[in-house]
Amino acid sequence: MATRHNGTQPGDRTGGNPGDRPGQQQLQRRLGVFDSTAIGLGSMLGAGVFVVFSPAAALAGPLLTLAVAVAGVIAYCNAVASAQLAARYPASGGTYVYGRRQLGEWPGFIAGWGFVTGKTASCAAMALTFGHYVAPAYATPLAVAAVVVLTGINLLGITRTAFLTRILLAIVLATIVFVAVASLLGPHPDGAPAVSAAPVYPTPSGVGWGVLPAAGLMFFAFAGYARIATLGEEVKDPTRTIPRAILAALAGAFVIYLGLAALLQWHLPPQQLAESTAPLLDAVAVSQLSAGVPFVQAGAAAACLGALLALITGVGRTTLAMARERDLPARLARVGGPHTVPFVAELAVAAVVIVLLLSTNVMTVVGFSSFGVLIYYAVTNAAAFTLARRPWHAPRWLNVLGFLGCLVLAVTLPPASMLVMAAVLAVGVAGRFLVLRWRRTPQQR
């Protein structure tokens, strides 16, 4: 069992980098504040911004902006906790590492398992969203191709990943600005019809009670700043870079989400917004700039690729960290190639995503992915609470608010999503328990 300690105890004497072990090959520190912020913002402004507003509006109704605000407050608590911990433990793995160091092996494992399983499913969702926007009839083959190509880019090294993320982020931001302008200009004079598919999410009668589950779904789109923490071993001057990048990425995403939510509610009829499968596309289709629909489709495709690229990177690094601690097979910890990347972990993640692409619906995974990430951040807040040294902007009560907020949003998600992810977490816990018991009883084998 790992030793529990706070920020002033001897466990921090190595600078908090659990990867710094004799004979263990390390990743290289190449990322600055700008690249790190771009990766986090590119993750948050991914497929989520193009799909999550409709299911959230179906649950929250006219209180959609309140749901965004609630998700943003909890995300801020989590971001502050992540920044504190990532600066102290600048290693790949994020809260998996923080939980192990501050709380013990089991909390760390729960965080890591929730992140890896939930975000692996998110990779499949974003790949399928890309396929549906580009060519719906060939969505799955295109999704598989996207995973293969982006995994290859990741294997070329983290600096190339950051470079491509910046390009995709610029395209996405331009698309969002175009949607905002189209919404502000008002409806098309000829009343052009919307182009989204048939309704998927029914609108509940008691929308006031839907704010919390809507906020839980919106959290799916906010969670991208975790990618910065999972890249901690590849960030230059992590004590300075990681907190700045996390808070800058979150602030940018919050302003964009809140503005988009307000514009969509103002521009689209409530029922149409709640039932749309492509709300940003519908907003342009019924506007005076309806000729720009292909531009929005291209922007959505770029968003999905950017988010998928960052997700594969983050999941691969957490897998690497778990394999280093033997919570996953040790071979996944191998780092190599001319660019020192965790190639075995990344190839394994890509293989699992491709399997999911053949059996997963693009929208069903959003809920249980949110559940897994909320559990992950509950552990983050609990770990940050134990730190003795903290900046003025990170009081302990903020950790308490974040911890309770994560649990409340998790248990108020749609029941099917909550039960599926709870079952996945239970399987992981049971599997680790059996493996540990097997390792401790060699005489019985």
Side-chain angles (χ1 to χ4, degrees), residues 71-82 219 225 247 250 381 393-394 398:
V73 169
I74 303 303
Y76 175 76
C77 296
N78 299 341
V80 170
S82 296
F219 203 83
Y225 53 84
L247 296 177
L250 176 62
N381 282 284
H393 62 272
L398 204 64

Side-chain angles (χ1 to χ4, degrees), residues 134-184:
V134 174
Y138 303 97
T140 299
L142 281 172
V144 172
V147 171
V148 171
V149 171
L150 294 182
T151 299
I153 291 173
N154 270 334
L155 294 178
L156 292 177
I158 189 62
T159 54
R160 288 163 177 80
T161 298
F163 176 73
L164 182 56
T165 299
R166 288 201 302 268
I167 295 175
L168 295 175
L169 177 58
I171 296 173
V172 173
L173 289 174
T175 305
I176 291 174
V177 170
F178 182 81
V179 172
V181 172
S183 300
L184 288 171

